[in-house]
Amino acid sequence: MSGGGLCWQDVLPGTVTLGASSQSVETGLWRSVRPVLDAGKCVSCLRCWAQCPDASILTGDGGSVLGINMFFCKGCGICAQICPVGAISIRPESDFQGEAVSSGRGVGPLKVGELVG
Amino acid sequence: MAFAEAMRQINPDVVAAYPITPSTEIPMKFAEYVADGLVDTEYITVESEHSAITACVGASVAGARVMTASSANGVGLMHEIFPIAAAFRAPIVFGLVNRSLGAPVNIHCDHSDSMPERDSGWIQIYCEDAQEVYDTALMSVRLAEHPDVLTPVFVCQDGFITSHCYEPVDFLDDEAVTEFVGSREPRYPLLDVDNPVSYGSFVMSEHYFEIKRNQMEGMENALRVCREVSGELARITGRDYPPVERYRTDDAEYVIVIMSSAAGVVKDVADDLRSRGVRAGCLRVRMFRPFPSEEISEALSGVKCAAVLDRSASPGGTPPLAAEVRSALYTSCCAGNRMPSPVQSFIYGLGGRDLYPGDVESVFEGLSRGEHFLAPRYIGLREGTGGEERGGR
């Protein structure tokens, strides 16, 4: 047996990993361009919210659009394409070098211990 | 039809299926049950067999009881997903109506569709008649979902021969089936959002091997659980199904090993030969995965010579059933039992060619003459003279 991992008797059946959720996967890492919301133009019609493939549109009480979750946003640009009032623009990621990702629920990569219950 | 009726009584949570001859009548009949409100099932219509089995896997890991059916190239299109279903320990019960794989296109029976799935991690049970298909469908729900097994099951029946011929079938009452199959209690259902889990995450060489070995444990337990479940059903129906059916093999000198519907022909011929003083028998292999090696080597321990009749080929190798039987006998020999008897391999019935009593009698005659060939022989094949030179057997 190589390494210090788990024995076959100790791994969970069915390839199951406990506590794993897409909420912990930072799909925003794939982004090369990003949408930028102009809150002054946005009318909170929620078309972007309905169409976003990664559920990255942040909404508040009453369905108002608050912003875009850059932890998940892959920069596909659908929101900018369908926005009826031009409130979302697409800008290259290089414009934002050095900025920390402040949103999302990043727990980092799963650890070996999380394979067992 | 027997399988569809079992599905109605089992009333699974989800069925996703795509029709292909000769399994079409199963999803077709079941769709009628759904339309007529006879079941509570979510019936998912899809655009291909690949999508059908994929939807089945998703529903199964969500926690649903799931059934489906397919044949031939439909089974082939599902191939990619079968090992995933097995690895997810998704206890899907699958009506596999055996049909030859194209090309050439042919709708009739052989086992060339299910045999490529023998290493997919699914249990494989081959049924002789419609009654056995019905009983096995009920048992397979319990077998697949048993916590020690958690492995999907192929319930195989011979296309058209078993699937479309009229024969009497003894059905249980709906209530008896409901009680027998119970309800599924999934261990890690994806729909339990308070306890989120992930299936099939990316795993590199650090743990892939351990996870696959863990999966095999379900298959290791399947023979024991199958005997338990079969015994439980037998107490209700009087019909018991051991992994291997021994028909007049106890004192037999010559035995033919075979699966599925053609076993009936072999049994008839064995009866006829017995009336003429030949100690002939039939060993019908019902479970192919897991393979009941010990039962088979024990059943063949006293014979002078055995023949294995395969309804599929393994070009360039030994036909699948013959390979397993020989391996079982060799293992038994290594365990200290006596040297195995010669095992002759035959291929029959490809593309739905019938196996006739005269064919079977010829095989028995060859065994009694002590004929032995190293390469598989063919039954019912038109062979021209000089075939060995031309074909290079």
Side-chain angles (χ1 to χ4, degrees), chain A residues 54-69:
Chain A
D54 288 292
S56 302
I57 306 299
L58 299 166
T59 55
D61 292 338
S64 59
V65 172
L66 300 179
I68 300 167
N69 187 331

Side-chain angles (χ1 to χ4, degrees), chain A residues 1 5-8 11-20 112 115, chain B residues 87-89 187-188 196-201 207 210-211 213-214 217:
Chain A
M1 161 85 209
L6 297 167
C7 297
W8 71 263
V11 298
L12 283 180
T15 75
V16 163
T17 310
L18 297 180
V112 162
L115 283 167
Chain B
F88 284 7
R89 310 296 288 275
R187 193 165 165 199
Y188 299 109
V197 299
S198 177
Y199 280 83
S201 299
H207 280 107
E210 282 71 26
I211 289 169
R213 174 62 186 89
N214 184 286
E217 204 61 7

